[in-house]
């Protein structure tokens, strides 16, 4: 059978991502938690998170880049559905997943909450105080107002997924300019990094309309992670 005239498979950017709220219906949070690759994957796997992106913020140096960062910090921006998640929920993830009480010797990797408005600023301050009182130690986390965000270079975006053989290149080609802001890509980036539970992994892979070679490689990577988690639970 000649497939040369068949329509290409519907990319998940056109199918799955339409279900998520538009940017004017979401809210955004910005956090510095060390290297931004890990937080990008962790937040991306959470239901209610619509989009993630990594970049540079918190400094004054004009036009920061990875090799000319100046006084900026690596940060992850999390766009979320406020009907599904609260800012407090995101702060739970923030403080639970990096060394907030340890000073860093590089401003690039500091712990920081960059608030988008007064409510976020006051919520973060309140939560930091409660955390310090509960832990009996000082938090090194800075809380500042966000004053600009520079998107990091493409090779930093969804790094775990880009590092997965076959998958990263294929999805980047399918999505094009929508790659960074895709909800599906954010989820898959989190899944291949080991976040999320096996049942959710299976549900997502079953309903995505992707080329067979991409699905096969995703299953191989994710099934390997799930298998190790199952063995660890039994031991």
């Amino acid at each position: 059978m000649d497939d040369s005239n068949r329509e290409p498979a519907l990319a998940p950017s056109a199918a799955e991502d339409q279900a998520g709220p538009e940017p004017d219906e979401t809210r955004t949070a910005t956090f510095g938690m060390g290297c931004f690759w890990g937080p990008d994957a962790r937040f991306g796997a959470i239901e209610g998170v619509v989009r993630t992106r990594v970049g540079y913020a918190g400094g004054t140096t004009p036009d920061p880049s990875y090799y000319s960062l100046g006084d900026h910090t690596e940060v992850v921006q999390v766009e979320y559905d406020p009907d599904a998640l609260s800012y407090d929920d995101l702060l739970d993830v923030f403080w639970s997943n990096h060394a907030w009480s340890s000073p860093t010797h590089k401003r690039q990797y500091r712990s920081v909450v960059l608030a988008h408005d007064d409510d976020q600023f006051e919520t973060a301050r309140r939560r930091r105080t409660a955390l310090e009182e509960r832990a009996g130690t000082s938090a090194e986390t800075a809380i500042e107002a966000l004053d600009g965000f520079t998107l990091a270079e493409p090779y930093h975006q969804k790094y775990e997924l880009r590092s997965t053989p076959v998958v990263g290149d294929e999805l980047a080609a399918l999505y094009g300019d929508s790659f960074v802001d895709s909800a599906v890509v954010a989820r898959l980036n989190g899944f291949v990094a080991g976040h999320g539970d096996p049942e959710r992994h299976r549900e997502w892979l079953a309903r995505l309309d992707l080329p067979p070679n991409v699905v096969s490689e995703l299953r191989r990577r994710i099934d390997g992670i799930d298998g190790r988690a199952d063995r660890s639970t039994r031991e």
Side-chain angles (χ1 to χ4, degrees):
M1 179 177 167
D2 183 5
D3 290 341
S4 60
N5 293 320
R6 290 178 60 190
E7 290 293 320
L10 187 63
S13 57
E16 294 291 328
D17 289 358
Q18 288 181 349
E22 294 300 317
D24 61 353
E25 300 173 330
T26 63
R27 294 177 184 166
T28 305
T30 302
F31 305 115
M33 304 167 62
C35 176
F36 47 25
W37 295 338
D40 186 30
R42 182 168 291 280
F43 280 109
I46 299 172
E47 291 295 335
V49 169
V50 180
R51 301 169 188 92
T52 66
R53 58 190 75 88
V54 297
Y56 315 115
T60 59
T61 302
D63 304 317
S65 65
Y66 187 71
Y67 292 107
S68 184
L69 200 58
D71 58 350
H72 288 278
T73 300
E74 292 188 18
V75 300
V76 59
Q77 254 190 8
V78 182
E79 197 173 323
Y80 64 101
D81 178 357
D83 291 333
L85 284 174
S86 69
Y87 188 62
D88 269 303
D89 292 330
L90 298 180
L91 287 172
D92 286 341
V93 178
F94 168 76
W95 267 302
S96 296
N97 289 283
H98 75 292
W100 50 266
S101 63
S102 301
T104 55
H105 300 294
K106 283 190 173 183
R107 186 176 171 89
Q108 177 179 359
Y109 301 123
R110 70 188 175 125
S111 173
V112 61
V113 176
L114 292 165
H116 287 242
D117 55 37
D118 291 343
D119 286 343
Q120 286 191 359
F121 190 90
E122 292 305 321
T123 299
R125 286 185 59 184
R126 171 179 54 79
R127 291 292 304 276
R128 183 180 63 183
T129 298
L131 179 67
E132 290 174 328
E133 292 174 350
R134 186 168 65 251
T137 188
S138 296
E140 295 292 331
T141 304
I143 300 172
E144 303 169 1
L146 178 69
D147 184 18
F149 171 85
T150 299
L151 192 69
E153 296 80 356
Y155 63 88
H156 288 301
Q157 306 295 335
K158 311 301 183 290
Y159 180 82
E160 295 288 346
L161 200 57
R162 287 185 186 273
S163 300
T164 302
V166 179
V167 173
D169 290 342
E170 290 273 6
L171 289 180
L174 276 172
Y175 278 97
D177 293 341
S178 300
F179 182 87
V180 174
D181 286 333
S182 160
V184 169
V185 171
R187 275 308 173 274
L188 294 178
N189 186 57
F191 292 168
V192 299
H195 306 301
D197 63 73
E199 183 176 353
R200 285 185 63 223
H201 296 166
R202 288 190 292 269
E203 288 175 353
W204 272 77
L205 290 180
R207 73 175 191 254
L208 290 180
D209 187 5
L210 292 171
N213 61 328
V214 173
V215 173
S216 176
E217 184 57 32
L218 283 169
R219 289 190 187 281
R220 186 194 68 79
R221 173 89 178 253
I222 293 172
D223 286 350
I225 292 169
D226 290 343
R228 289 194 297 274
D230 288 342
R231 287 193 297 273
S232 176
T233 300
R234 291 195 299 268
E235 291 172 356

